[in-house]
């Protein structure tokens, strides 16, 4: 059953991509949406069979690599971790597919768009069900290629092309680390399969390796290299710059990337290799600190953005930081729990933002909105549900998953957990603030939209609202329903061998933290909402006055801590200067100068001049022959007399 669920999106992508002309727009939509819906249904059935009933299994499809003593099969690993990802990815993707029918109604390239969406989903499923590192890398790179195609879908826009290239290149940096990490695993353990590598991990735990001129714990090096790969895909601080620019793609693409596919790949991969990470304490500390810093950084930037999609994009970056530091403190179940709940409410928020953009005739600047909640009441209600879940208010899904992550960080041993906890607490306050800033600026107050836009504003069709309703159910109920299995008393039986159940069991300790630790995230969320109400509803003049008072700080945050400018100075401009030098000085002056413009050109000039001797007149040729005879006779006589 899981084989069918995994390959159905590929079938849809092939049909829509290769037979677009025969199928037409509507046929291409049906050819992709029907398999996607069926895949989602089968995935939910597989989830209950594997995760709930405990029927974990690995299905070998064929021998993929057979070279000497090295043999590797293409197989689908179906344990609880894979089953959770399979269900989350297919359900969210199915809703995005259906929603896109309405959102992309006027786009002339609908078959291409739906083919790309299905292909993106297929590669993510390949990644999530991989049974070995090579197969995992195939899905990993496939997700990168598909994201490039979708971010740059509107290729006639220079900004979309630039964003697609940026995403591709930044992820290549992470992928170098990931590839080196996989090579190091094979070098140390002699295995490319997960089971083989995990079984050998305890035996090489005390091994050291020379890396960058230093002796270090071998598994710490492996863990850090694998984490660098996850930093790229999951947009952690330093390799995060591609994520906000990915908003250049159509809004359904943003929802799929940010909720269930590309950005979750790094989280999934690190949880998959948890048996290795447990023997890499330095790597775990790095993961914890970077995750905490990412949660804080992205939340600060989200408070200052005015593009509705970019606000939500930075919230994704921040929430990925939560998941990452949960992994860093060995709370793998909490990380996947937050991944699952986040998929529902983040897809809901992005698709809700798309509904707003649809109503406002492609306007994304919140400064040009306001006062439209009566015009689009269903979208308004869905955005409230998504924001409540994101802010972590009970009984919404984010309350259950975010709080257990913070409690696990507090309960973890060492300073890294404490750092992550306090960064997460500050991020919780800022998350609530910018979420309600978005709601108040977009839906409340006096309208700042042009009258022409406001007069034509309208609610989205039900083909767009229906998926929002489905996702809102997940945003409300997923946390409450999944809490016991993912992080509660049933967690050991639920997860089985799919992730490491740590010896120090930080999740058990998280349930016993002081009461103030449990209440503080809720207090911070309510405080953030209250501050947003004060500044954007009760006293709307306050934001301008606050910005004026802290202009340098605001400019620093608004410009995203100047990461783009720093990277432009350190990497982009030097690379551009080097490229220009090699182009002008190398290719132009040397290769072209001595090649096409040098010897080749000289040969051409000599040939043209020589060809002028060929006039076609007999008396010219007779004259040349006579002159030749005279020269020859003269030379002969001179040499003989001499």
């Amino acid at each position: 059953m899981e084989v069918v669920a995994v390959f159905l999106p590929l079938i849809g992508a092939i049909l829509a991509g290769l037979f677009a002309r025969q199928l037409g727009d509507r046929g291409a939509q049906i050819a992709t949406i029907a398999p996607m819906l069926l895949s989602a249904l089968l995935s939910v059935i597989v989830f209950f069979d594997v995760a709930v009933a405990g029927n974990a299994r690995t299905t070998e499809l064929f021998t993929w690599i057979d070279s000497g003593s090295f043999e590797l099969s293409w197989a689908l690993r179906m344990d609880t971790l894979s089953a959770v990802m399979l269900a989350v990815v297919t359900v969210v993707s199915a809703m995005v597919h259906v929603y896109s029918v309405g959102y992309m109604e006027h786009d002339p390239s609908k078959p291409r768009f739906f083919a790309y969406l299905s292909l993106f989903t297929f590669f993510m499923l390949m990644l999530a069900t991989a049974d070995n590192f090579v197969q995992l890398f195939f899905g990993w790179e496939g997700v990168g290629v598909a994201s490039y195609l979708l971010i740059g879908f509107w290729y006639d826009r220079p900004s979309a092309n630039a964003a697609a290239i940026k995403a591709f290149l930044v992820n290549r940096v992470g992928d170098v680390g990931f590839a080196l990490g996989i090579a190091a695993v094979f070098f140390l353990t002699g295995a490319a399969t997960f089971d083989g590598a995990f079984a050998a991990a305890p035996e090489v735990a005390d091994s050291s390796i020379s890396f960058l001129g230093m002796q270090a714990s071998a598994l710490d090096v492996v863990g850090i290299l694998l984490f660098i790969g996850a930093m790229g895909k999951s947009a952690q601080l330093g390799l995060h710059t591609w994520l906000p620019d990915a908003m250049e793609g159509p809004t359904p693409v943003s929802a799929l990337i940010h909720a269930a596919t590309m950005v979750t790949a790094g989280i999934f991969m690190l949880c998959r290799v948890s048996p290795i990470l447990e023997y890499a304490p330095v790597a775990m500390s790095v993961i914890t600190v970077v995750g905490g810093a990412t949660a804080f950084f992205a939340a600060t930037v989200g408070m200052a953005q005015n593009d509705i999609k970019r606000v939500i994009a930075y919230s994704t970056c921040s929430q990925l930081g939560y998941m990452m530091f949960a992994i860093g403190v060995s709370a793998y179940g909490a990380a996947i729990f937050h991944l699952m709940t986040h998929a529902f409410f983040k897809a809901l928020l992005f698709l809700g933002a798309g509904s707003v953009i649809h109503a406002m005739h492609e306007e994304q600047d919140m400064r040009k909105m306001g006062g439209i909640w009566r015009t689009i009441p269903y979208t308004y209600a869905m955005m409230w549900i998504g924001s409540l879940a994101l802010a972590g208010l009970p009984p919404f899904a984010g309350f259950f998953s975010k709080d257990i992550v913070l409690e696990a960080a507090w309960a973890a041993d060492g300073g890294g957990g404490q750092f992550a906890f306090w960064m997460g607490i500050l991020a919780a306050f800022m998350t609530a603030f910018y979420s309600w800033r978005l709601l108040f600026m977009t839906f409340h107050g006096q309208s700042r939209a042009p009258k022409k836009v406001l007069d034509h504003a309208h609610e989205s069709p039900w083909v767009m609202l229906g998926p929002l309703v489905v996702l809102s159910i997940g945003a409300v109920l997923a946390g409450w329903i999944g809490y016991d299995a993912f992080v509660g008393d049933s967690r050991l039986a639920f997860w089985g061998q799919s992730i490491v159940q740590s010896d120090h069991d930080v999740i058990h300790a998280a349930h016993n933290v002081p009461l103030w630790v449990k209440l503080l995230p809720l207090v911070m969320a309510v405080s953030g909402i209250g501050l947003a109400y004060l500044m954007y509803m009760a006293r709307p003049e306050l934001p301008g006055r606050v910005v004026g008072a802290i202009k340098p700080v605001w400019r620093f945050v608004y410009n995203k801590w100047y990461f783009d400018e720093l990277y432009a100075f350190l990497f982009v401009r030097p690379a551009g200067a080097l490229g220009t030098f090699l182009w002008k000085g190398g290719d132009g002056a040397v290769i072209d100068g001595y090649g096409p413009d040098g010897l080749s050109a000289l040969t051409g000039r000599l040939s043209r001049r020589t060809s002028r001797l060929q006039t076609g007149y007999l008396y010219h040729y007779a004259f040349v022959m006579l002159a030749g005879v005279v020269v020859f006779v003269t030379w002969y006589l001179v040499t003989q007399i001499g």
Side-chain angles (χ1 to χ4, degrees), residues 39 51 167 185 187 244 303 339 420 445 492 534 602 626:
S39 177
V185 169
F187 172 76
M303 292 194 299
L339 182 154
L492 298 179
L534 175 66
L602 177 61
L626 180 61

Side-chain angles (χ1 to χ4, degrees), residues 381-394:
M382 295 298 105
M383 291 294 286
W384 260 89
I385 293 172
S387 298
L388 287 165
L390 174 61
L393 270 67

Side-chain angles (χ1 to χ4, degrees), residues 360-563:
M360 301 298 289
H361 297 271
E362 306 307 314
E363 181 59 68
Q364 295 182 202
D365 193 333
M366 297 186 299
R367 294 170 296 184
K368 298 178 182 178
M369 298 180 185
I372 60 172
W373 71 273
R374 289 187 178 88
T375 306
I376 49 175
Y378 294 108
T379 299
Y380 175 63
M382 295 298 105
M383 291 294 286
W384 260 89
I385 293 172
S387 298
L388 287 165
L390 174 61
L393 270 67
F396 297 89
F399 167 75
F400 295 94
S401 59
K402 183 189 289 186
D403 279 24
I404 192 64
V405 167
L406 289 169
E407 291 159 12
W410 170 267
D413 298 328
Q418 290 296 306
F419 171 80
F421 173 77
W422 288 110
M423 290 295 100
I425 287 294
L426 293 174
F429 172 80
M430 292 183 283
T431 298
F433 174 81
Y434 65 64
S435 296
W436 264 259
R437 174 178 177 265
L438 182 153
L439 284 173
F440 293 145
M441 288 184 69
T442 302
F443 295 101
H444 290 277
Q446 294 295 320
S447 177
R448 300 171 297 281
K451 186 176 185 303
K452 182 179 179 181
V453 172
L454 199 60
D455 289 343
H456 292 87
H458 58 280
E459 185 62 274
S460 298
W462 275 103
V463 73
M464 294 171 64
L465 294 177
L468 297 185
V469 173
V470 174
L471 293 170
S472 70
I473 295 172
V476 174
L477 299 178
W480 175 68
I481 293 175
Y483 187 85
D484 183 65
F486 281 78
V487 294
D489 294 337
S490 303
R491 66 187 182 281
L492 298 179
F494 178 76
W495 289 111
Q497 301 300 314
S498 63
I499 59 174
V500 166
Q501 309 287 343
S502 178
D503 291 338
H504 46 276
D505 198 357
V506 71
I507 293 182
H508 175 75
H511 292 302
N512 299 298
V513 297
L515 181 62
W516 69 267
V517 175
K518 293 178 178 289
L519 294 178
L520 187 57
L522 180 59
V523 172
M524 299 300 281
V526 173
S527 301
I529 294 170
L531 181 61
Y533 179 83
L534 175 66
M535 296 182 69
Y536 292 94
M537 293 291 289
R539 299 281 301 278
E541 77 281 359
L542 277 181
R545 292 169 58 183
V546 171
V547 168
I550 56 169
K551 194 75 172 181
V553 176
W554 176 85
R555 189 179 292 113
F556 178 73
V557 172
Y558 179 76
N559 287 290
K560 301 158 286 188
W561 293 27
Y562 292 103
F563 268 99

Side-chain angles (χ1 to χ4, degrees), residues 7 39 52 57 92 116 167 205 232 321 341 377 391 402 509 524 573 633:
F7 283 96
S39 177
V52 179
R57 53 189 174 268
V92 172
Y116 287 172
T341 62
K402 183 189 289 186
M524 299 300 281
R573 284 198 288 272
V633 171

